[in-house]
Structure formats: C-alpha cells, structure tokens
Amino acid sequence: MGAHVVTAEKLEAKPLKPLNVKSRLASTPKNTPKYSVIVRNKAGKEVVVADPNATRALVALMDMHAVNGGAACHWGGPAALAEVSSAIHSVMFSVSGREWYDAYNFVNDAGHTENGIYAIRANYGFDGLTFEDLKAFRSIKSKLTGHGESHLNPEGVLLSNGPLGSSIPQSQGLALADGLLKKDRATICILSDGAAMEGEAKEAFAAIPGLAHRGLLAPYVLVISDNDTKLSGRITKDSYSMQPTFESLHVLGWNVIKEEKGNDLQAVYLAFESALEAARKDPSKPVALWLKTVKGYGIKATEENSAGGHGFPLANADKMIDWINEIYSNNAPEEFVNWAKALRKTWEDKEAAKKAAPPAAAATGPKKTKIQEGLSKALIRAVQDNYPVFSVSADLAGSTGVAAFQKSYPDRALDIGIAESNMISTATGLSKLGLIPVVDTFAQFGVTKGLLPLTMTAISQAPVIALFSHCGFQDAADGASHQASTYFAAVSPIPHTTVISCSCADEAEAYLYQAIARIAADRELGKDGESVIFFLGRENYPVYWKEGSKYEWGKAQVLREGGDVSLITNGPLVGKALDACEKLKADGINATVINSPFVNHIDVATIGAAVKKTGGRLVTVEDHQVTCGFGAQLVQALVTAGYELKARTLGIPGEFGQSAYLADELYNKYGLGTDGFVKAAKSLL
C-alpha cells in the first residue's frame, strides 16, 4: 500500500474543552481507617495508614461468605498487594482542598484483587461501606462484584477490570486526557506480573513512555506486583521469565524504582512516595514502581503454594479462626475473631444438620460430571491413535479441562502464559506445519482477545481447535467482565469455522475426537480443513441426555418428541429444556426438545421437520445475547429454507450480567430458567 498523501489547510480550533461529565466516584473519606498502623514519610513525620493485616483478614472473611454461597473467589493476589494498597490509599485520601479523584486517577489492573480494594475501603468507611456489606461480596444483591465493575459500582470503580492487561491501556487514556486538558492529576495503575504477559500491557509499556516523552501525558505511576506467580503456578517454571521484560522498562523510557521488600509496609510507603514525587517532577518520564511481593502473604501455606493460594483455598469455615489468628500472629482484633467464630458455627450447624438428616435417595439416571472430562478423554484417545495433537494453554488448563491431558502427555503441551492472542497465533504456526493444535481458555477471553487471531487462522489456511469454557453466565461469580455473552456472534461468521456448543461430557468427547480426525483427513487430502470452536459451561451435567445418543457431525439431537411446541437450545440450557418439557406435559402440552450443538451450521432437515410437526411453534433459548445469537441464526436458516414459524427467542436482553453465587440466579433474573421456557411455550399456544 502506498503512502496516502493528504493536502489540507491547517485550521484554527478553540481550546479543547471536555464535556461536562461529573465524576460519580464517592467523596474522600472523612475518617481514618478503623484498623490502622503508623509509618513515617520521607520527611520523618508519622502517617496513619490502613493496617494491611486488617485487609487480609477482611478478604478472608468476605471470601468465606462467598464460598458459603457457592461462589469461587481470590485470596493470593489481594494478600500480596495489601501493603502497597495501604500506601496508595493513604496518599490518595490525604489530599486536601479538593476531592481525591480530582487529584488522582486510580486504576486496578490486577483483576483478581478487587476484593482487597473493597476491604481497605470498608476499613475507611469509603462510600458508606461497612464490614456488613462485605458479607454479600459476589452475591447478586451486592455491587461488590467479583471484579471491579463501574456499570454496577460507579461510586467505587473508575474503570471496570477483570480481563488481565486490559486496564493499563485505559489508564494510558486517562493520563493522555489529563495531559491534553492540562489537568493537575496523577494516574496510578496497579499491574500484576501475570497481567504484564498480555499483549495490551506490552503495547502500553511502550506507548506510555513514548507519549509522555512527547509531553502528552500527565504524571503516571505504574505499580507492578512481581511474585512470579499466576493462577496455575510459577510463571518462570510454567512459561517463561518476566524478569527481562521488567528489566527492559528503563530502555523503553520508564523511570524504574525497584523495591525488593514489597510486603514491608514502611519500605513500600517510602517507595511509592518517591515514585509519585518523581512522576510529578518530570511527567515526561513515567515511573514504574517494581515491587517484589509474595502471593498469598500472611498465611504460610499459601505463601509456599506454587500458585500463591490464587483462589480462596478454604472450602469451609473449619479453619477460619486459625487463619485470622495466623494473619495477626495470634493477636487478632476481637471483632474479626468473633466473625470467624460465627462463620465456623454456621458451618458446624450445617454439618450437624446433614448428619441428622435421613439418607438421601440413591441418584437415578446417568452420573453427573463436568463437560471438561470428555475433552481430555478425546485428546488422550487422539494421541493414542497417533494424531499429531499439541495443546497450547494460557494459564487456565485446570479450569478448561485440558490439565488431565497435559499431565498424561507433558511433551505434547505448552503453557504460553497469560496471553490469549499469542496462544492462538502460536497455534496457527503449529497448524501450518502439520500439527493439530488445541487451544483453551475462558470463552470471554477466547472470543475477545482471540478474535483477530482466530480470523487469521482461517485466512492462513491453518485450522486450530479451540476449547472455550465458562461461557455465558456459567462464570457467575466473576461478573460481567468474565461472562461471555456475545461468543456466538463473535465467531460464527468467521469463514471455514465450525462453532459447537457442548451440553454434556459424552457429546464433547465425541465431537472433539471427530474434529481432530476431520482436520487430519482434510490435510492428508491436501484440503485446508476447518477450525472448530467448542463452547462449554463449568457446572456438572449428566454425561449424556439420552441413552444411546449418536453424535453425528452436523446433526441435531431430538431428545423428546411432542406435537405442540418445539424447544430448541444447546450447551448449559439443555437440561432446563428437558425440565420445561416435563412441566408442560403436566399441563397437557407435549413438547419436542432438540439439542442443536452446531451453532453456525444449522441442521435444517432435522429441526425443520420437527418444527413443522409442531405447527411452526418454536422457542429458542440461549445463554447469550438475543442479538446475533443462536436463535437468530436458527430462525434465519429455517425461514430461508421456506418454513413458516411462530417463534420466541429467549436470551440476554441487551444487558451486561453481574456477579452472582450461582448461574441459576442469573438465568432466573433474565427469564432463561425452566419457568422461562414454559412461559414462552405457552405464549405460542
């Protein structure tokens, strides 16, 4: 492409003036923290800061409430960052003469640490937060979501976070706006070493000092928490060392201040004070405060754990009192000890009730398991049958179900680190040279960070297989930033790509093995082959929905037959369609239930015939936005084929989700549960 030469007269414009967008962040707290300690600043004066041990204790206690509700949550990251969080908040909240948010932009890109921010702010009483509010953390009734979300909590969160590496470039925009508008405000961004592996972070590493050198940015401080730890283990051991990346920051134009004692409150306070002073003194040289921290700090077991106790390690409150005492070296505040005792008492009462209850009836029907189990079975069988399968992961193999395969064949696997785009692009290269690469991550990260690479695999005639788990509301507790709700819409239009929504382990195993075999057969014949993208949930489901099911490529499965209405779905909602069928039957309504796993290649023959028998009455339900989803693709395919329909399409109605303990809470909120099926079906009769 040749250079595009534009000739235009330079025009004069009025000074740049922003729209009148009033900050919705809560005001500066008027009180010092309820639990505090004293440090000395560079001038030798005493400064009151929030006690980092109180932050850790509150994180542990609020996490236990979430665990009791059925949600996962995080411990290791916020425990590592407790000291620097105390220092940052002390400085921000000590501003005088104006609100704290007029002096500072605060951005958290260590996405698994937002509960630590909630804890320290409740300690201050920020935005009226109380310790009682923390007990609802991650519940559907709380604005304290799994990751910080400004659409639900604009009083406490400036920029939504969660997907690692996505907030540092946004913070770059904040500093750029303040620079352009000559605003006297410093931007502070916290980044984990795991987040630094992402491509967006590395772009910002170059762009921030580059723009600052041009005089375009207001003062900027990047705080890096370096503990060589990610979700699945040690970064250096599993993937590659990040030390050269951090060491190169000064070459890129950063003023690097390194503090080896990242969990020493006094040392960290002085280091942050120096970083902020240097950034303000010379905005053309942003400061990177490189802290060596310990993930899971405060609890010996999590400090020594290879993943730093990334998630909250306690499955119940049995050891809750011990944890609080260990955090405080057996000198914990009575309030926290009593809180821990109450949690333990609740757990003991539940255990006693279980023992006193009559024995549960033996389960009938097929066993339940995670769909992920079928994926590893298929991969192992494919290697045993001599297919050149190679697994490339991005830190989530334990969650996506690939870990069992990787442990069985460690020489057939690589963890590329927290870098989804790089993962898929690496797989493209493997495919081009004759391997069958299989990539895996959460659906949200796969379709957002991986969309261009997935497109390029098709353009490069290098098919890959993608296993994207935790689709839709299945990642309930992590909130909107982790809930893929546009996943079908994102990838269904990519040419030479098949999209499959799995509903059970047997189905996943059958189709994954077939996908591998089909790619191999096509490549042997000199054909390009097609990429196959699998979506799946995270909960337990029956290993099959109909005994003796045949999983034929491209075919829908008729699970129940009736003459009144057709219920068609796939993935996590198949079981709810079957439950709705039984409810309708009790009301004298006979429904056909069809599982249609091939999302963008509709089995028109099977589905069309069934819908015709039910008088064109059709209900589609999906864990996805209604716009451009499975239902839209299905209806278009049927109408194009000449079928007359009276349809209802149920899905997420153009809104973001939020944290909830269980996916069912979100399904019910948006009318996607069993009762939603029933109501929609009856509306057609």
Side-chain angles (χ1 to χ4, degrees):
M1 178 181 281
H4 186 53
V5 180
V6 177
T7 302
E9 181 183 354
K10 184 178 180 180
L11 303 175
E12 293 295 327
K14 293 181 179 180
L16 189 63
K17 184 179 180 181
L19 301 174
N20 185 23
V21 180
K22 186 178 180 181
S23 176
R24 296 172 66 185
L25 289 164
S27 299
T28 309
K30 293 181 173 58
N31 304 318
T32 56
K34 181 176 182 180
Y35 294 100
S36 63
V37 291
I38 300 294
V39 296
R40 291 188 178 274
N41 62 17
K42 290 178 67 176
K45 293 183 178 180
E46 290 188 344
V47 179
V48 177
V49 302
D51 183 358
N53 285 332
T55 300
R56 293 188 180 92
L58 289 167
V59 166
L61 292 164
M62 65 197 286
D63 280 5
M64 194 71 255
H65 283 279
V67 169
N68 287 342
C73 38
H74 302 100
W75 156 258
L81 284 167
E83 280 75 21
V84 71
S85 188
S86 288
I88 290 172
H89 280 81
S90 173
V91 172
M92 290 194 306
F93 289 166
S94 65
V95 68
S96 61
R98 52 178 172 161
E99 292 288 358
W100 72 276
Y101 51 75
D102 286 329
Y104 300 98
N105 294 312
F106 175 74
V107 177
N108 180 27
D109 204 351
H112 299 130
T113 65
E114 198 70 18
N115 48 349
I117 306 298
Y118 300 148
I120 197 170
R121 291 186 173 181
N123 195 5
Y124 273 97
F126 175 84
D127 187 33
L129 276 181
T130 67
F131 292 170
E132 191 69 24
D133 293 326
L134 300 181
K135 296 178 181 179
F137 171 55
R138 287 200 165 199
S139 78
I140 199 168
K141 298 177 181 179
S142 175
K143 67 179 181 180
L144 304 182
T145 50
H147 297 275
E149 295 180 12
S150 60
H151 75 290
L152 290 177
N153 186 13
E155 304 84 4
V157 180
L158 176 60
L159 291 176
S160 297
N161 64 57
L164 297 179
S166 62
S167 293
I168 179 174
Q170 293 179 324
S171 72
Q172 171 186 309
L174 294 172
L176 176 60
D178 282 339
L180 293 172
L181 298 170
K182 310 301 181 186
K183 181 78 174 179
D184 176 24
R185 179 162 48 195
T187 294
I188 303 164
C189 179
I190 299 177
L191 188 77
S192 64
D193 48 358
M197 303 181 85
E198 291 282 10
E200 302 103 309
K202 292 189 171 84
E203 290 173 9
F205 284 170
I208 290 171
L211 294 172
H213 182 70
R214 293 180 55 197
L216 295 176
L217 298 192
Y220 188 98
V221 176
L222 177 65
V223 180
I224 301 170
S225 175
D226 174 19
N227 43 55
D228 193 31
T229 315
K230 53 188 178 63
L231 184 152
S232 60
R234 300 299 176 189
I235 293 174
T236 301
K237 181 182 177 181
D238 293 350
S239 302
Y240 50 85
S241 175
M242 288 298 292
Q243 300 311 296
T245 296
F246 298 143
E247 289 165 359
S248 70
L249 291 176
H250 76 279
V251 178
L252 293 173
W254 292 85
N255 176 5
V256 179
I257 298 175
K258 189 173 183 180
E259 175 51 64
E260 294 285 348
K261 299 178 181 178
N263 292 113
D264 181 320
L265 179 59
Q266 179 62 67
V268 167
Y269 187 92
L270 293 175
F272 178 70
E273 192 178 24
S274 295
L276 194 57
E277 181 181 310
R280 283 185 166 139
K281 184 177 180 180
D282 184 6
S284 70
K285 202 170 182 66
V287 178
L289 177 56
W290 179 6
L291 301 175
K292 300 292 283 188
T293 59
V294 177
K295 195 167 183 181
Y297 189 81
I299 297 292
K300 183 179 179 181
T302 55
E303 290 176 14
E304 295 175 349
N305 179 268
S306 62
H310 179 87
F312 191 57
L314 300 184
N316 56 58
D318 183 25
K319 297 180 180 179
M320 197 75 252
I321 301 170
D322 296 336
W323 262 54
I324 299 302
N325 284 327
E326 183 175 353
I327 289 169
Y328 272 96
S329 300
N330 293 315
N331 192 30
E334 185 178 5
E335 179 178 18
F336 295 160
V337 174
N338 289 339
W339 189 345
K341 287 180 178 178
L343 283 166
R344 182 184 171 95
K345 179 66 166 57
T346 300
W347 170 73
E348 288 173 340
D349 290 346
K350 286 183 179 179
E351 290 299 299
K354 286 180 185 178
K355 291 178 181 178
T364 58
K367 72 169 186 175
K368 288 189 174 184
T369 188
K370 291 188 182 297
I371 298 171
Q372 285 87 332
E373 185 177 300
L375 301 178
S376 271
K377 285 184 178 179
L379 293 173
I380 290 170
R381 181 154 63 102
V383 171
Q384 291 171 343
D385 290 345
N386 207 31
Y387 288 109
V389 170
F390 193 91
S391 168
V392 186
S393 291
D395 192 38
L396 292 172
S399 298
T400 60
V402 180
F405 168 76
Q406 294 183 345
K407 289 180 180 178
S408 298
Y409 295 104
D411 294 337
R412 290 290 193 96
L414 171 69
D415 189 321
I416 204 69
I418 305 172
E420 295 81 9
S421 294
N422 189 266
M423 171 185 69
I424 297 169
S425 295
T426 299
T428 301
L430 295 174
S431 176
K432 197 67 179 179
L433 296 185
L435 302 184
I436 302 177
V438 180
V439 301
D440 66 280
T441 186
F442 286 2
Q444 177 72 324
F445 308 151
V447 302
T448 53
K449 300 193 177 193
L451 185 55
L452 178 57
L454 286 168
T455 302
M456 295 310 297
T457 65
I459 294 176
S460 298
Q461 302 92 40
V464 303
I465 294 174
L467 311 177
F468 293 159
S469 69
H470 295 56
C471 62
F473 288 144
Q474 285 285 293
D475 196 1
D478 278 328
S481 66
H482 281 50
Q483 291 164 356
S485 66
T486 60
Y487 53 109
F488 292 154
V491 298
S492 289
I494 301 175
H496 315 302
T497 300
T498 296
V499 179
I500 299 176
S501 179
C502 296
S503 62
C504 63
D506 280 4
E507 180 181 54
E509 180 182 357
Y511 287 140
L512 177 52
Y513 186 87
Q514 290 179 54
I516 293 167
R518 287 171 64 86
I519 288 176
D522 282 342
R523 302 302 289 275
E524 288 292 335
L525 293 173
K527 298 179 182 179
D528 295 338
E530 287 198 339
S531 290
V532 185
I533 302 174
F534 291 84
F535 291 106
L536 53 141
R538 66 172 296 186
E539 298 176 351
N540 289 329
Y541 300 94
V543 293
Y544 59 81
W545 297 106
K546 184 177 181 180
E547 193 168 5
S549 290
K550 294 181 179 180
Y551 302 104
E552 298 179 54
W553 193 263
K555 293 291 184 180
Q557 303 145 24
V558 180
L559 303 178
R560 299 285 189 276
E561 292 190 61
D564 295 322
V565 63
S566 294
L567 309 179
I568 305 182
T569 187
N570 51 45
L573 295 173
V574 169
K576 297 193 181 300
L578 292 170
D579 291 342
C581 179
E582 294 302 313
K583 277 197 168 186
L584 289 167
K585 189 175 181 178
D587 291 337
I589 300 170
N590 295 312
T592 288
V593 177
I594 297 178
N595 173 29
S596 179
F598 289 83
V599 175
N600 64 340
H601 299 306
I602 302 296
D603 179 6
V604 173
T606 300
I607 296 174
V611 171
K612 188 174 182 180
K613 287 181 181 178
T614 57
R617 291 180 289 273
L618 163 67
V619 177
T620 70
V621 187
E622 58 195 296
D623 193 4
H624 184 281
Q625 297 290 341
V626 171
T627 303
C628 301
F630 161 69
Q633 295 181 58
L634 174 63
V635 169
Q636 181 189 34
L638 293 176
V639 171
T640 300
Y643 290 93
E644 294 185 2
L645 305 176
K646 187 179 180 183
R648 295 284 185 273
T649 300
L650 304 182
I652 305 169
E655 298 178 26
F656 290 113
Q658 66 178 88
S659 288
Y661 290 154
L662 302 171
D664 273 352
E665 295 175 291
L666 293 166
Y667 292 149
N668 292 333
K669 178 177 180 177
Y670 293 104
L672 306 181
T674 300
D675 291 342
F677 277 78
V678 170
K679 183 178 179 181
K682 288 182 175 180
S683 73
L684 295 172
L685 296 169

